[in-house]
Amino acid sequence: MVSAGLEILGLSLCVIGSLLVMTTCGLPMWKVTAHIDGNIVVAQTIWDGLWMSCVVQSTGQMQCKVHDTVLALTHDLQAARALTIISSLMGVLGLMVVIAGAQCTNCIRAENVKARVVNAGGVIYIISGLCVLVPLCWMANNIISDFYNPHVHSSKKMEIGAALYIGWAATALLLIGGALLCCSCPSSENSGYSVKYAPTKRASQNGDYDKRNYV
């Protein structure tokens, strides 16, 4: 029962983490304009994401434009595109693997094989979390470096967007859930009731049962 509870908890965390990774991949708020000038009147805010850039006016209107070509993107955006997609696909693969080896399913009969399959699913989710962690940290490092770079004009300085924070939360859920799946091993003892048969009682030479059998 304990291992089944760990499987359910770990799988729930991993599924939520995978959904957050997909949300992070689609959100345009990876980089947000940093308003550091003395002027308090802000005309527009620029959101820069993996797939599009959006301009939000002070009136609330928003216009988005999809990136024309991949080659024009920076290296961190190109890597983020690839790794977030890989992480999302691995999340789907890990879900199928864990469901196939879960104790509540009958896809696999052998208990030891089911435990290994669930552990493999946990490893897949951990790798998925690491895949999305790399572009998040890379992007955050570039944003912080440009922010404190005196050669970068203040109008071009960006700050960390909400998508990065959601991605870090997704990474934490994937790593914790994957670790729980790797630890959810059933006990080695046989779950069924063990039946012990007594040895057959032999009759004595005169054909009667030995009286010691009745003592």
Side-chain angles (χ1 to χ4, degrees):
M1 295 297 294
V2 176
S3 60
L6 288 177
E7 286 183 2
I8 296 174
L9 178 59
L11 183 59
S12 300
L13 294 178
C14 290
V15 170
I16 296 174
S18 297
L19 294 176
L20 291 179
V21 169
M22 298 177 185
T23 303
T24 303
C25 183
L27 284 177
M29 292 178 290
W30 282 62
K31 299 179 182 179
V32 182
T33 303
H35 301 291
I36 57 177
D37 294 334
N39 188 8
I40 62 175
V41 179
V42 180
Q44 62 184 14
T45 302
I46 298 176
W47 296 348
D48 194 7
L50 301 182
W51 311 99
M52 64 182 68
S53 295
C54 298
V55 177
V56 182
Q57 305 292 336
S58 58
T59 58
Q61 297 179 351
M62 183 174 62
Q63 296 178 349
C64 296
K65 179 183 178 182
V66 180
H67 295 307
D68 296 330
T69 176
V70 179
L71 301 177
L73 299 177
T74 58
H75 296 292
D76 54 353
L77 284 177
Q78 294 180 12
R81 274 189 177 188
L83 291 176
T84 50
I85 291 175
I86 292 174
S87 178
S88 300
L89 294 178
M90 292 187 68
V92 177
L93 177 62
L95 177 62
M96 294 188 294
V97 172
V98 173
I99 290 178
Q103 298 185 22
C104 57
T105 60
N106 296 324
C107 299
I108 301 175
R109 297 293 182 179
E111 292 295 332
N112 55 347
V113 178
K114 295 179 70 171
R116 293 177 181 177
V117 171
V118 172
N119 293 338
V123 173
I124 293 175
Y125 275 119
I126 291 176
I127 297 175
S128 175
L130 294 177
C131 286
V132 74
L133 180 63
V134 172
L136 293 173
C137 295
W138 189 1
M139 185 79 66
N141 180 60
N142 291 341
I143 293 173
I144 295 173
S145 299
D146 293 339
F147 186 85
Y148 291 106
N149 188 358
H151 299 288
V152 178
H153 195 268
S154 59
S155 61
K156 296 183 179 180
K157 291 184 177 181
M158 310 290 285
E159 62 181 357
I160 298 175
L164 295 184
Y165 295 105
I166 296 175
W168 281 323
T171 301
L173 292 177
L174 289 174
L175 295 179
I176 296 173
L180 291 177
L181 291 176
C182 291
C183 296
S184 61
C185 298
S187 59
S188 58
E189 300 178 356
N190 190 6
S191 59
Y193 294 100
S194 59
V195 180
K196 297 182 180 180
Y197 296 95
T200 305
K201 299 177 181 179
R202 297 181 179 179
S204 59
Q205 295 180 357
N206 55 4
D208 298 332
Y209 286 98
D210 195 351
K211 296 180 179 181
R212 290 178 297 178
N213 296 330
Y214 300 96
V215 177

